[in-house]
Amino acid sequence: MDFLASNILTIVTFTPVLGAVLLLFFNRGNVRAIRAFALFITILTFAFSLHLIAHFDSTNPDFQFGIKVPWIPAYGIDYAMGIDGISVFLILLATLLSPLAVLASWSIHDRLKEYFIFMLLLEAGMIGVFVSLDLFLFYVFWEIMLIPMYFLIGVWGGERRIYAAMKFVLYTMVGSVLMLVAIIALYFMHGDATGTFTFSYPQIQSALASGRLVLSPTIEQWLFIAFFLAFAVKVPLFPFHTWLPDAHTEAPTAGSVLLAGVLLKMGTYGFIRFNLPLFPHVSHLFAPLISLLAIVGIIYGALVAMVQPDMKRLVAYSSVSHMGFIVLGIFSFNPQGMEGAVYQMLNHGVSTGALFLIVGIIYDRRHTRLIDEFGGLANRMPIYAAIFLVVTLSSIGLPGLNGFVGEFLILLGTFGANRVRAAAAALGVILSAVYMLWMYQRVIWGEIKNEKNANLVDMVGRERLMLLPLLIAMVWMGVYSNFFLRPMDSTVSKLLNQTQTGRVEYAKQTK
């Protein structure tokens, strides 16, 4: 048990990697064994991640389960990991969605072994981003994660998969290069100021907060912009969103689930982890502009979603809108907005992940996602219609389900920061209800007019099992939100204090 407790973050991160390596030795013709093993590894990783929440100290705002081992000491690079009240739930989200994504991949037959190897490597990359406390290690996981997602879209995607995969990689890499330059700049500036050349996130953050490392206003703004652009592309924040609809449309169902459920959260996680605590003054300075972009994204995403003929593209544009809410909450700089943003990151992963699974179920049967091709599905698929309704209500934020808590807290926090922004963002809530319920009505209600839908089979056991954990999470998060909010409290309070203190100290130092 001591070994487990001391190395739990390494175990959670690298169990999928071990699974991917072992999959190499499977006979590619043994489809059932490959599927079963991939499912076993993702469930095992999820089980390990439950240890984190079971032993997490909610009262401790610092990083927990820490591990730090010199990796490349000559350059101040460490294998350093740790989690706080924000990252612990994002890891759980990644490990929860991964086995569901495996279950959603039963229709994949071509190069199945390679498919699951890439999926397991993707899971490891996602977890690695959330646990890294060394900027170099963080960047390695950030970049490694791109490769499996590129192949999942480019090899197992739709007709325009190569275009979508290239667009995804190019957008993300441009942002990543800017972040790399900023990381290297921080490394040298910290070394020149303190005599210690290190990529350690806690050390650099502490040096900035204590005044041992002082950045000029111009340098701080450029570093903030470099980190911001990398994360804004990943969110994606308007107007950096154009890669998202193509990636979602062409990705296989499992790819869309992990892309929307976890990968987009890395952008908002980056804002919280890096932009706010490292550059508090510029964060406040740029907050009005960023909030404006978030509000434009909320309304623009909702309006474009409303006219989409393809269900997957509709859900993709709804993500642009929902992610705008999260950014708005982060840059409200108060506990309600920040906790609402983190809560909404989890909500969006659960609800949008479920929506993509829902769309994937009828795509597997009809090989189309066009809304006009359906109608009256409740007559043939009543269980599907009932689950689809719960997921739709969750997505639009019905009280009692998960979506309501996050949106309410974000609007509360935004109202405290700026009432006009809150009023504008509230319009997005209304539009969200309109396009989601309209889609549901056109797909589910009425008589079956298309003969191709007359003999559709309702959800099978695997599909029900796939959605059951998400339905439980929707109700649990909607009814017992304190379970998730309590561990965030101390971390969010510390982050906001750091941001406020850093802003005041910066003003003194640059006066």
Side-chain angles (χ1 to χ4, degrees), residues 257-308:
V257 170
L258 295 177
L259 184 61
V262 186
L263 265 68
L264 304 190
K265 311 304 175 301
M266 292 173 183
T268 46
Y269 173 77
F271 289 153
I272 295 173
R273 179 66 74 222
F274 297 99
N275 282 93
L276 265 60
L278 295 184
F279 317 107
H281 172 72
V282 184
S283 295
H284 279 268
L285 190 68
F286 284 179
L289 174 61
I290 296 169
S291 298
L292 176 63
L293 293 177
I295 291 170
V296 171
I298 290 169
I299 297 173
Y300 166 82
L303 290 174
V304 177
M306 206 174 293
V307 297
Q308 292 304 308

Side-chain angles (χ1 to χ4, degrees), residues 43-112:
I43 291 175
L44 183 64
T45 307
F46 176 65
F48 283 136
S49 70
L50 291 178
H51 178 94
L52 299 175
I53 194 65
H55 294 83
F56 189 82
D57 181 1
S58 304
T59 61
N60 182 0
D62 297 324
F63 292 107
Q64 301 178 36
F65 306 101
I67 180 169
K68 184 175 181 180
V69 179
W71 181 14
I72 311 175
Y75 296 102
I77 298 172
D78 296 321
Y79 174 78
M81 290 180 168
I83 57 170
D84 59 9
I86 294 171
S87 49
V88 64
F89 288 116
L90 293 171
I91 294 167
L92 277 178
L93 180 66
T95 59
L96 171 66
L97 290 179
S98 293
L100 307 183
V102 171
L103 283 172
S105 303
W106 252 235
S107 60
I108 301 290
H109 299 285
D110 183 34
R111 287 174 278 190
L112 190 68

Side-chain angles (χ1 to χ4, degrees), residues 176-193:
S176 300
V177 169
L178 294 174
M179 180 170 66
L180 179 62
V181 172
I183 288 173
I184 293 172
L186 275 175
Y187 170 78
F188 280 108
M189 289 175 188
H190 182 274
D192 291 340

Side-chain angles (χ1 to χ4, degrees), residues 139-415:
Y139 188 78
V140 168
F141 279 119
W142 181 275
E143 288 297 290
I144 282 178
M145 188 184 55
L146 292 181
I147 299 167
M149 182 51 83
Y150 168 79
F151 281 105
L152 286 174
I153 298 173
V155 177
W156 291 275
E159 291 181 2
R160 299 173 69 240
R161 56 186 178 275
I162 301 298
Y163 168 76
M166 289 299 297
K167 195 172 180 182
F168 164 73
V169 169
L170 288 175
Y171 265 68
T172 309
M173 285 202 71
V174 169
S176 300
V177 169
L178 294 174
M179 180 170 66
L180 179 62
V181 172
I183 288 173
I184 293 172
L186 275 175
Y187 170 78
F188 280 108
M189 289 175 188
H190 182 274
D192 291 340
T194 66
T196 304
F197 289 87
T198 179
F199 286 95
S200 168
Y201 168 79
Q203 279 185 254
I204 292 174
Q205 196 277 325
S206 173
L208 285 166
S210 64
R212 286 179 290 123
L213 171 57
V214 180
L215 305 176
S216 71
T218 304
I219 293 294
E220 188 182 15
Q221 287 188 20
W222 279 113
L223 292 178
F224 175 91
I225 290 170
F227 276 101
F228 174 80
L229 288 176
F231 301 137
V233 168
K234 188 71 87 178
V235 171
L237 181 68
F238 179 89
F240 308 104
H241 65 283
T242 60
W243 63 269
L244 182 71
D246 292 317
H248 271 312
T249 305
E250 301 305 324
T253 297
S256 294
V257 170
L258 295 177
L259 184 61
V262 186
L263 265 68
L264 304 190
K265 311 304 175 301
M266 292 173 183
T268 46
Y269 173 77
F271 289 153
I272 295 173
R273 179 66 74 222
F274 297 99
N275 282 93
L276 265 60
L278 295 184
F279 317 107
H281 172 72
V282 184
S283 295
H284 279 268
L285 190 68
F286 284 179
L289 174 61
I290 296 169
S291 298
L292 176 63
L293 293 177
I295 291 170
V296 171
I298 290 169
I299 297 173
Y300 166 82
L303 290 174
V304 177
M306 206 174 293
V307 297
Q308 292 304 308
D310 183 312
M311 281 188 279
K312 231 178 174 187
R313 289 187 77 86
L314 186 151
V315 179
Y317 277 106
S318 80
S319 290
V320 175
S321 183
H322 287 303
M323 295 303 291
F325 270 103
I326 297 171
V327 175
L328 196 61
I330 292 171
F331 285 90
S332 67
F333 297 107
N334 55 48
Q336 297 87 355
M338 186 68 73
E339 288 189 8
V342 178
Y343 208 85
Q344 192 66 1
M345 287 160 73
L346 306 176
N347 288 334
H348 183 263
V350 170
S351 301
T352 306
L355 277 172
F356 278 119
L357 291 174
I358 289 276
V359 175
I361 287 170
I362 52 173
Y363 181 77
D364 285 344
R365 286 160 172 71
R366 284 289 321 279
H367 299 289
T368 179
R369 297 181 299 260
L370 294 177
I371 296 173
D372 287 345
E373 286 285 320
F374 298 100
L377 289 190
N379 298 295
R380 296 298 308 164
M381 306 175 69
I383 296 175
Y384 178 83
I387 293 176
F388 195 171
L389 179 61
V390 175
V391 175
T392 300
L393 295 177
S394 156
S395 180
I396 65 177
L398 185 79
L401 294 173
N402 56 329
F404 173 76
V405 182
E407 286 185 349
F408 174 77
L409 287 173
I410 288 172
L411 289 177
L412 194 65
T414 307
F415 191 86

